[in-house]
């Protein structure tokens, strides 16, 4: 069957409507995130039909191992990328923080949607509601599957013990509530909000307590790099400020060669034409750390008509409808901050963290 080029909203009388197939993980949060992106696209392109195809991924299946041990950033993305490659789906919606800074050849991130709250949140066991990490009893066990969270929080709250907890959001909350092992767990605020569980957020962690993961709180839409129709269609979803912040964050992480198996965290802000990027690396126990902040003058651009056709990707992202200058400036900011941290000894901290993690 010949696929007709995706019609724009104004060409609804095209001969045969192309069905746009959207891939997603099966978890409830992934479905909610995908539904929100599809709803936006439907409103923008009322003439198009969308079909959502849900799949299980390796990361969803291996639930008894800490993520950092499985040693793959593409854990939650590989099966979905295979479906893209085989033309079974046309786009895939991911949490941007699950997408590696170097994508496999043939794929690109065609849209980064407006970021929700990127900070981490603490959810407490019912008997500790009203507490904060600070006021939890000595030796309380806090669950997190993230080396980044554990390293920072161990340093900040030495009276607590941090232990791995895996599973999707529903599973983790059930483990917290029904077993007596954990006094609290750390989750991304954005995920809790998207699930409608605002009432479970007991504390939101500020950057001085715990900086967030690269891309946290933003959704990325992955497409085939050569599929110009689909790239054009999803490109309108780019949120310029989120895009620039995430380019800087991803460039920082890529240049450090960080990943799931080492504690790297960031914080970005856009203010008065300045993009501020704070980044840090930690040893696994948080005892050693290097952090710094840099800024660059970048004005958030409006979307504009297509730029040059041969635009290469920046940190895996294609955004032809956003001026190139600010994107390059954001990328350079990330690289500069990574170089500053490397010059202060970040490589040593990361190498040791990697070795220790591999040895466990």
């Amino acid at each position: 069957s010949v696929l007709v080029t995706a019609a724009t909203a104004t060409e609804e009388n095209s001969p045969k409507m192309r069905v746009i197939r959207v891939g997603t993980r099966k978890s409830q949060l992934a479905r909610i995130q995908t539904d929100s992106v599809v709803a936006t696209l439907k409103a923008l392109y009322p003439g198009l039909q969308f079909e959502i195809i849900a799949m299980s991924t390796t990361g969803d299946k291996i639930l008894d191992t800490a993520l950092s041990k499985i040693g793959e950033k593409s854990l939650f993305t590989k099966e979905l990328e295979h479906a893209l490659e085989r033309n079974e789906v046309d786009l895939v919606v991911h949490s941007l923080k699950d997408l590696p800074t170097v994508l496999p050849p043939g794929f690109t991130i065609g849209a980064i949607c407006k970021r929700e709250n990127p900070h981490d949140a603490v959810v407490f066991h019912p008997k500790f509601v009203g507490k904060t990490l600070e006021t939890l009893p000595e030796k309380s066990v806090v669950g997190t599957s993230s080396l980044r969270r554990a390293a920072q929080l161990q340093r900040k709250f030495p009276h607590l013990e941090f232990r791995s907890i895996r599973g999707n959001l529903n599973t983790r909350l059930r483990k917290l509530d029904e077993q007596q092992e954990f006094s609290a767990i750390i989750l991304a605020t954005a995920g809790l909000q998207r699930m409608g569980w605002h009432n479970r957020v007991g504390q939101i962690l500020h950057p001085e307590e715990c900086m967030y993961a690269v891309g946290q709180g933003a959704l990325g839409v992955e497409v085939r790099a050569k599929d110009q129709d689909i790239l054009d269609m999803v490109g309108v979803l780019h949120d310029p400020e989120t895009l620039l912040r995430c380019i800087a964050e991803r460039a920082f992480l890529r240049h450090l060669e960080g990943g799931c198996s080492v504690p790297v965290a960031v914080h970005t802000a856009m203010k008065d034409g300045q993009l501020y990027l704070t980044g840090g690396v930690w040893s696994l126990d948080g005892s050693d750390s290097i952090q710094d902040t840099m800024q660059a003058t970048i004005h958030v651009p409006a979307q504009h008509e297509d730029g040059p056709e041969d635009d290469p990707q920046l940190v895996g992202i294609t955004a032809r409808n956003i001026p190139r200058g600010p994107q390059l400036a954001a990328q350079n900011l990330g690289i500069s901050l990574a170089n500053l941290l490397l010059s202060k000894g970040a490589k040593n901290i990361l190498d040791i963290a990697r070795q220790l993690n591999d040895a466990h």
Side-chain angles (χ1 to χ4, degrees), residues 57-336:
T57 66
T58 312
D60 295 315
K61 292 171 193 151
I62 311 178
L63 288 176
D64 51 354
T65 314
L67 284 182
S68 54
K69 297 278 178 294
I70 308 168
E72 274 269 23
K73 184 68 175 161
S74 58
L75 216 52
F76 294 114
T77 56
K78 194 174 267 158
E79 280 85 350
L80 297 165
E81 281 171 347
H82 284 322
L84 259 181
E85 202 165 23
R86 291 191 301 260
N87 267 316
E88 291 164 13
V89 298
D90 301 302
L91 54 119
V92 178
V93 179
H94 301 276
S95 293
L96 185 61
K97 70 172 182 179
D98 290 339
L99 280 168
T101 55
V102 181
L103 296 184
F107 302 105
T108 188
I109 299 165
I112 294 182
C113 307
K114 189 170 172 55
R115 188 176 220 165
E116 297 207 29
N117 185 326
H119 300 282
D120 288 317
V122 189
V123 178
F124 293 91
H125 185 282
K127 69 177 179 222
F128 291 121
V129 167
K131 294 259 187 219
T132 62
L133 289 181
E134 192 92 60
T135 58
L136 276 178
E138 191 80 23
K139 296 267 186 288
S140 292
V141 175
V142 177
T144 172
S145 53
S146 149
L147 297 178
R148 170 187 62 80
R149 291 170 181 152
Q152 293 181 80
L153 294 171
Q154 254 170 316
R155 185 185 175 106
K156 199 85 190 161
F157 304 103
H159 70 293
L160 301 175
E161 192 187 315
F162 292 87
R163 214 173 279 167
S164 177
I165 183 169
R166 285 285 321 279
N168 60 36
L169 285 184
N170 307 58
T171 311
R172 290 191 211 186
L173 281 177
R174 199 168 58 244
K175 282 182 184 172
L176 171 68
D177 292 344
E178 293 174 9
Q179 302 169 6
Q180 299 308 308
E181 185 183 358
F182 299 102
S183 302
I185 57 176
I186 316 290
L187 299 166
T189 306
L192 289 163
Q193 288 179 338
R194 290 185 188 121
M195 295 285 276
W197 293 337
H198 309 72
N199 62 331
R200 291 304 307 260
V201 176
Q203 179 182 7
I204 289 184
L205 297 171
H206 297 291
E208 41 291 342
E209 298 168 303
C210 190
M211 288 199 282
Y212 41 83
V214 166
Q216 185 159 316
L219 299 180
V221 181
E222 189 178 18
V223 301
R224 289 179 289 273
K226 292 203 166 34
D227 200 338
Q228 198 50 55
D229 293 344
I230 299 288
L231 265 170
D232 290 342
M233 182 190 76
V234 301
V236 295
L237 298 173
H238 271 303
D239 176 66
E241 178 177 317
T242 303
L243 171 75
L244 296 175
R245 287 171 60 188
C246 290
I247 286 176
E249 293 173 15
R250 286 171 64 84
F252 169 73
L253 180 64
R254 178 194 272 191
H255 202 70
L256 279 177
E257 295 182 1
C260 245
S261 57
V262 289
V264 175
V266 293
H267 171 63
T268 46
M270 200 100 206
K271 204 170 176 245
D272 305 327
Q274 296 285 312
L275 175 55
Y276 297 87
L277 170 64
T278 302
V281 302
W282 286 261
S283 57
L284 290 188
D285 65 357
S287 59
D288 222 353
S289 92
I290 300 175
Q291 293 171 61
D292 221 313
T293 304
M294 291 181 86
Q295 69 194 81
T297 304
I298 301 179
H299 292 282
V300 176
Q303 293 204 10
H304 70 113
E305 284 314 296
D306 291 356
E309 279 305 291
D310 58 345
D311 273 2
Q313 303 179 24
L314 292 189
V315 285
I317 301 163
T318 301
R320 289 196 180 141
N321 54 339
I322 306 286
R324 188 99 179 134
Q327 293 185 60
L328 287 166
Q331 176 178 254
N332 289 337
L333 176 62
I335 293 170
S336 302

Side-chain angles (χ1 to χ4, degrees), residues 39-59:
T40 308
L41 287 170
K42 275 182 174 161
L44 288 163
Y45 304 101
L48 289 183
Q49 280 181 290
F50 292 87
E51 182 189 346
I52 296 174
I53 298 167
M55 290 170 257
S56 283
T57 66
T58 312

